[in-house]
Amino acid sequence: MTPRGRPRSFDRDAVLQQAMRMFWERGYESTSLADLTSATGLKPPSLYAAFGSKEGLFREAVELYTRTDGALTGTALDGGPTAREAVGRMLRENACGYTEDGRPPGCMIVLAATTCAAENESVRQLLADTRADTLRSIRARLERGVADGDLPAGTDTGQLADFYGTVLFGLSIRARDGASREALLRVADSAMHAWDALTGGTGPAAPDD
Amino acid sequence: MTPRGRPRSFDRDAVLQQAMRMFWERGYESTSLADLTSATGLKPPSLYAAFGSKEGLFREAVELYTRTDGALTGTALDGGPTAREAVGRMLRENACGYTEDGRPPGCMIVLAATTCAAENESVRQLLADTRADTLRSIRARLERGVADGDLPAGTDTGQLADFYGTVLFGLSIRARDGASREALLRVADSAMHAWDALTGGTGPAAPDD
DNA sequence: CCGTTTGTATAGCGATCGCTAAATAATTAC
DNA sequence: GTAATTATTTAGCGATCGCTATACAAACGG
């Protein structure tokens, strides 16, 4: 099963990672083909042979992001023993991820295409859909909390997920504005202070970590 | 004091308002000069004579926005008799403003330039500074609450303002993603459920409106 | 009327946009 | 070896970007 023809002379994954970083930093429309080719050393035809189009490259970059930096949300949600701990971890770990040295501040999914030209609406929609996935993930974790008994049976998981998701999205704006990790962690902590009031206050007490 | 020379043949304020709407809808970089001239009927030289540059026009559009749609935050904060009511109103009225029929969903200041090319960094910074103004406004209202006695003396107004400001920014993302007014109002309501826990729970009870 | 001042219209500047045709290079199949 | 296949290089496509030089039009003061 050896591939025929001239072999590719570059590392496709490495190029994709570089592209992801640029889209993350500057957004979809503000990252030009010239930016991408000069950063990777590739000529346009090589990029197009490998990824099809700028949008195709971006879509793969989004997939890579959700598999790597963006996966933090899912793993944090899965990590906590209770819904409360899971959501708290999710916010705090993202607050840390959004302010990691050497990475663009904030989340690529939130920041890379909040507005765009009509011709790129499909790109904005892709990110909107991905954000909707995040809200569903949070909600799914809350449902599990209800099933596990650490959340009351009548809990409005949709409303709760919408609230914590909205806070999460807001953290990206604040991170891109230069907010410190500590400031974002305080916001996460503040959001968790609503937990008892939102869940009827009948759950277990807040852990200290 | 009659102006000399040929009089301007268009309504400068009306053109500025149209430009604001386009920047609000599509963002700074995605709104082209061709978009602006075709929407207003003006030719480029007229636009440049009146506003100097695309960035100059945008800066005036931002000023107009903060004077009009964006003023809602300040008036809502000033409106409530207590800090708690003021912040609650601020969130709820923005939730409504962000989902008004016939207007671009979400806040122009939050959405119009989350990312941009390096050459337009000054535009992104302008919006970041304006967002910082919003956080300061919230904090100032909280300080007044402390002075008025409806917030405990030791209240960390900076942390509280950061939290509610982050929720406010998140609402714009959710609005642009198509969230309903009711959904945003529920998020605002959820955020207010953190109030007692964040302020020591020694303030007056939450009003019902 | 004339000269000055300011605004508008025509036309197009140089630069960059995303993208690609055509030629050449490097590999496998036979 | 030759043919087939795939990648890279060179060069540049048509379209659009923000912006402007130039010429003309409409108001003023005198």
Side-chain angles (χ1 to χ4, degrees):
Chain A
M1 226 22 184
T2 10
R4 313 234 308 193
R6 178 173 176 173
R8 182 178 282 133
S9 68
F10 59 92
D11 182 343
R12 191 182 190 277
D13 290 342
V15 165
L16 179 56
Q17 196 160 348
Q18 280 188 277
M20 181 194 79
R21 276 291 286 262
M22 304 197 75
F23 284 132
W24 187 359
E25 173 108 39
R26 316 186 192 187
Y28 176 70
E29 287 183 332
S30 298
T31 304
S32 70
L33 261 294
D35 290 334
L36 293 164
T37 54
S38 80
T40 59
L42 296 189
K43 314 291 180 183
S46 296
L47 258 184
Y48 278 80
F51 301 100
S53 65
K54 185 187 173 187
E55 177 167 346
L57 175 57
F58 182 75
R59 299 188 99 93
E60 286 204 45
V62 168
E63 285 175 30
L64 174 59
Y65 182 87
T66 56
R67 266 203 319 274
T68 55
D69 305 84
L72 194 147
T73 296
T75 57
L77 284 175
D78 288 345
T82 64
R84 176 184 207 143
E85 253 189 289
V87 170
R89 272 193 198 187
M90 186 272 291
L91 287 179
R92 286 193 306 272
E93 292 189 17
N94 273 309
C96 290
Y98 292 170
T99 55
E100 200 89 37
D101 269 357
R103 291 191 210 172
C107 169
M108 172 180 168
I109 306 302
V110 173
L111 299 171
T114 51
T115 55
C116 64
E119 64 201 281
N120 293 317
E121 174 60 20
S122 61
V123 164
R124 202 200 57 76
Q125 193 60 53
L126 167 67
L127 295 189
D129 291 345
T130 308
R131 288 190 286 266
D133 286 341
T134 298
L135 295 183
R136 273 188 291 271
S137 296
I138 300 174
R139 178 168 190 176
R141 181 61 187 87
L142 297 174
E143 297 280 5
R144 205 190 100 191
V146 173
D148 290 350
D150 56 83
L151 273 179
T155 303
D156 187 338
T157 55
Q159 173 177 342
L160 211 50
D162 277 8
F163 169 63
Y164 285 105
T166 301
V167 172
L168 178 67
F169 298 159
L171 287 178
S172 281
I173 302 286
R174 304 259 295 115
R176 194 51 70 101
D177 283 356
S180 71
R181 173 173 295 179
E182 292 67 34
L184 297 193
L185 284 170
R186 280 192 293 268
V187 170
D189 185 59
S190 296
M192 293 312 297
H193 273 78
W195 189 272
D196 283 342
L198 291 173
T199 59
T202 58
D208 237 77
D209 73 322
Chain B
M1 227 21 187
T2 12
R4 314 231 313 188
R6 178 173 175 172
R8 183 178 281 131
S9 69
F10 60 91
D11 182 341
R12 192 182 190 277
D13 291 342
V15 165
L16 179 56
Q17 194 160 350
Q18 278 188 280
M20 180 193 81
R21 275 291 286 262
M22 303 195 77
F23 284 131
W24 187 358
E25 174 109 39
R26 313 186 194 186
Y28 175 70
E29 286 183 332
S30 298
T31 304
S32 70
L33 260 294
D35 290 334
L36 293 164
T37 55
S38 79
T40 59
L42 296 190
K43 312 293 178 182
S46 296
L47 257 184
Y48 277 80
F51 300 100
S53 66
K54 185 187 174 187
E55 178 169 345
L57 175 57
F58 182 74
R59 298 188 100 93
E60 286 204 44
V62 168
E63 286 176 27
L64 174 59
Y65 183 86
T66 56
R67 267 204 319 274
T68 55
D69 305 83
L72 194 147
T73 295
T75 56
L77 285 174
D78 288 346
T82 64
R84 175 184 208 141
E85 252 190 289
V87 171
R89 273 193 199 186
M90 185 273 290
L91 287 179
R92 287 194 305 273
E93 292 189 16
N94 272 308
C96 291
Y98 292 169
T99 54
E100 200 90 38
D101 270 356
R103 292 191 209 171
C107 170
M108 171 180 167
I109 305 302
V110 173
L111 300 170
T114 51
T115 55
C116 65
E119 63 201 280
N120 294 318
E121 173 61 20
S122 61
V123 163
R124 203 199 56 75
Q125 194 59 54
L126 168 67
L127 295 189
D129 291 345
T130 308
R131 288 189 287 265
D133 286 343
T134 298
L135 295 183
R136 273 189 291 272
S137 296
I138 299 173
R139 179 169 188 175
R141 181 60 187 87
L142 296 174
E143 297 281 4
R144 204 191 101 191
V146 172
D148 289 352
D150 56 84
L151 272 179
T155 304
D156 188 337
T157 55
Q159 173 177 345
L160 210 51
D162 277 7
F163 169 62
Y164 285 106
T166 301
V167 172
L168 178 66
F169 298 159
L171 287 178
S172 282
I173 302 287
R174 304 260 294 115
R176 194 51 70 101
D177 282 356
S180 71
R181 172 173 297 180
E182 292 67 36
L184 297 193
L185 283 170
R186 279 192 293 268
V187 171
D189 186 59
S190 297
M192 293 313 297
H193 273 78
W195 189 271
D196 282 343
L198 291 173
T199 58
T202 58
D208 237 75
D209 72 322

